[in-house]
Amino acid sequence: MGPDLDPETTPEEYRQRALLLADLGRYDEAAGEIAAGLSAAPDEPSLLTTLARIHLAADQPAEALAAAERAVAAAPEALTVLIVRAMALTDSRRYADAAQVASDILRRWPADAYAQRTGAALLSESHNGQEALNAAWNGVRVAPAEAEAHLVLAVVAARLQLFELAQRAYAEALDLDPAIGTAQNDVGIVRFERRRWAQALEGLADDAALPVTADEPPVDDGPYPEPFPRPYQAPDRPEPQTPPGYSSASWTGEPAVSRPRGPVLDSSAEEAGTFRRGAQIAANATLIAAVVSAAMSTASDGISRAWAALFGLIIVVGVTIWLKRSIPGPLSAALTRLRSSHRSLAVALYLSLAGPLLLPVYALVGGVIPLIVGMLLAAAATMVVLIRS
């Protein structure tokens, strides 16, 4: 049950409450605060971005991606929004899309310390290689006095099996901030990126021979293979303001993480719109392909049947791939939600995908009946979509 709405509470105050609750591992209650804020400001990018981070911290990538996509729609040029979207894409195993977003971040903010180190780490997660290593080096060059820049370099180097470089980068990170040694055990979303990179490095620690706990000091093998200038400390992202009377240092127990138990965002309308477009695309393409195949039969029955089979397969496969890429999370789960909340639209979608399957049937048996049936199914799907709309 979400918090009571207070007309005098601003969206930012709801967000600050959510940050404090998330810092205690109470992600369910934190999501409730964000839901209350979104009821007053449904398109507020900071609330949507914070919600995406809560879901990421709670290991709910599908929900995180839904919130991130909403945030991108509201603020497509915001750095923090793009970063959280790249994280959600990575955790949803959409690595190519995540790598594209990370590369865009690195290109658009070449002198921003936060953008460079985070973009490098995200690129390493989704498409590790020389580009990620170059970006990690640049992150250290831009902010040589920031421990997280060296932590990211250690992660990227370890993934590339450059273990000597990884050891030295991690040692430098610990020298700058000893708390890096226990960052993988942090809870909350204020330092979510730091915990993410520390956990990644912990998974690589056996191969890289890295000490990832504060009790085990790193081996100091000397400076980096090439020198790093340290002219200044670049500015980092602003920390959230702490309300009076609250001290994170007072929390000494082990927080029990409580994940959000239900969706905060109502994505059924957006999913229904995507399925509606998919049904329309499949139905219209089927009608066109059937007419073209029938016309080609007057010249050559064999060529007409061959092209009909190809048309049918392209329509079904193409629309299915488009739906999988357009809908966050598993397509099967989205179809289950569609059948429960929009039955008529589900019928239209299945009819539109059944229609093009009649084209390969026409290729096998010939005759105009399969083409006519396919066109009728496509027309019925279109009619149901129009009535449903």
Side-chain angles (χ1 to χ4, degrees):
M1 183 176 180
D4 295 333
L5 295 182
D6 184 351
E8 297 183 357
T9 303
T10 66
E12 178 59 21
E13 288 172 330
Y14 281 118
R15 194 180 77 88
Q16 293 297 331
R17 291 179 186 175
L19 291 176
L20 297 180
L21 289 166
D23 195 41
L24 301 178
R26 292 153 61 178
Y27 298 131
D28 187 27
E29 295 177 57
E33 291 290 343
I34 296 296
L38 289 173
S39 65
D43 296 321
E44 173 56 43
S46 63
L47 291 177
L48 293 167
T49 303
T50 302
L51 177 61
R53 290 179 181 273
I54 291 171
H55 283 304
L56 285 172
D59 296 323
Q60 297 173 327
E63 292 82 355
L65 184 56
E69 297 289 5
R70 283 269 299 271
V72 169
E77 303 299 322
L79 171 59
T80 54
V81 169
L82 295 177
I83 285 175
V84 78
R85 179 172 183 259
M87 290 181 183
L89 287 169
T90 300
D91 290 358
S92 300
R93 300 185 181 276
R94 292 173 54 178
Y95 298 116
D97 293 335
Q100 183 177 0
V101 177
S103 297
D104 186 47
I105 290 170
L106 293 170
R107 177 183 56 82
R108 294 171 61 182
W109 289 277
D112 188 292
Y114 177 64
Q116 287 299 297
R117 66 168 177 263
T118 311
L122 291 169
L123 190 61
S124 173
E125 284 186 338
S126 54
H127 181 68
N128 199 30
Q130 187 63 42
E131 184 182 359
L133 183 61
N134 292 343
W137 276 111
N138 190 49
V140 174
R141 182 189 63 80
V142 172
E146 294 188 7
E148 289 185 31
H150 299 272
L151 175 63
V152 167
L153 178 58
V155 173
V156 175
R159 284 176 175 151
L160 290 172
Q161 299 186 355
L162 301 174
F163 297 134
E164 181 180 358
L165 174 60
Q167 289 175 347
R168 295 178 179 178
Y170 185 66
E172 183 69 16
L174 285 177
D175 285 343
L176 291 169
D177 186 356
I180 288 287
T182 57
Q184 68 270 25
N185 300 320
D186 291 344
V187 176
I189 59 174
V190 172
R191 295 184 178 274
F192 177 72
E193 288 90 346
R194 169 184 286 205
R195 180 170 79 250
R196 187 182 182 97
W197 317 142
Q199 288 175 344
L201 192 61
E202 185 178 36
L204 299 163
D206 290 339
D207 291 334
L210 294 173
V212 294
T213 64
D215 298 332
E216 185 180 356
V219 177
D220 188 0
D221 291 330
Y224 279 126
E226 60 183 75
F228 285 100
R230 297 175 177 271
Y232 62 94
Q233 181 170 355
D236 198 357
R237 301 299 96 185
E239 297 290 347
Q241 297 177 356
T242 303
Y246 175 82
S247 173
S248 59
S250 63
W251 176 257
T252 58
E254 291 293 332
V257 172
S258 60
R259 293 176 173 82
R261 289 165 290 185
V264 175
L265 299 176
D266 182 12
S267 60
S268 60
E270 296 179 6
E271 286 184 354
T274 301
F275 282 123
R276 184 179 297 108
R277 290 190 295 272
Q280 290 174 326
I281 292 171
N284 293 337
T286 300
L287 291 172
I288 295 172
V291 171
V292 171
S293 299
M296 292 175 65
S297 65
T298 60
S300 172
D301 185 63
I303 294 177
S304 170
R305 292 163 69 172
W307 277 102
L310 182 61
F311 288 151
L313 293 175
I314 290 176
I315 293 170
V316 173
V317 174
V319 171
T320 301
I321 292 176
W322 180 79
L323 288 174
K324 291 185 69 174
R325 292 178 62 88
S326 301
I327 293 178
L331 181 59
S332 58
L335 287 171
T336 301
R337 292 192 294 270
L338 182 70
R339 289 193 297 269
S340 62
S341 58
H342 303 280
R343 292 183 180 180
S344 59
L345 185 55
V347 171
L349 178 66
Y350 291 134
L351 287 175
S352 68
L353 292 176
L357 294 178
L358 271 295
L359 298 179
V361 174
Y362 161 70
L364 292 175
V365 303
V368 297
I369 293 179
L371 290 179
I372 293 175
V373 174
M375 295 175 68
L376 289 176
L377 291 177
T382 301
M383 186 67 66
V384 173
V385 169
L386 292 176
I387 294 175
R388 179 65 180 80
S389 299

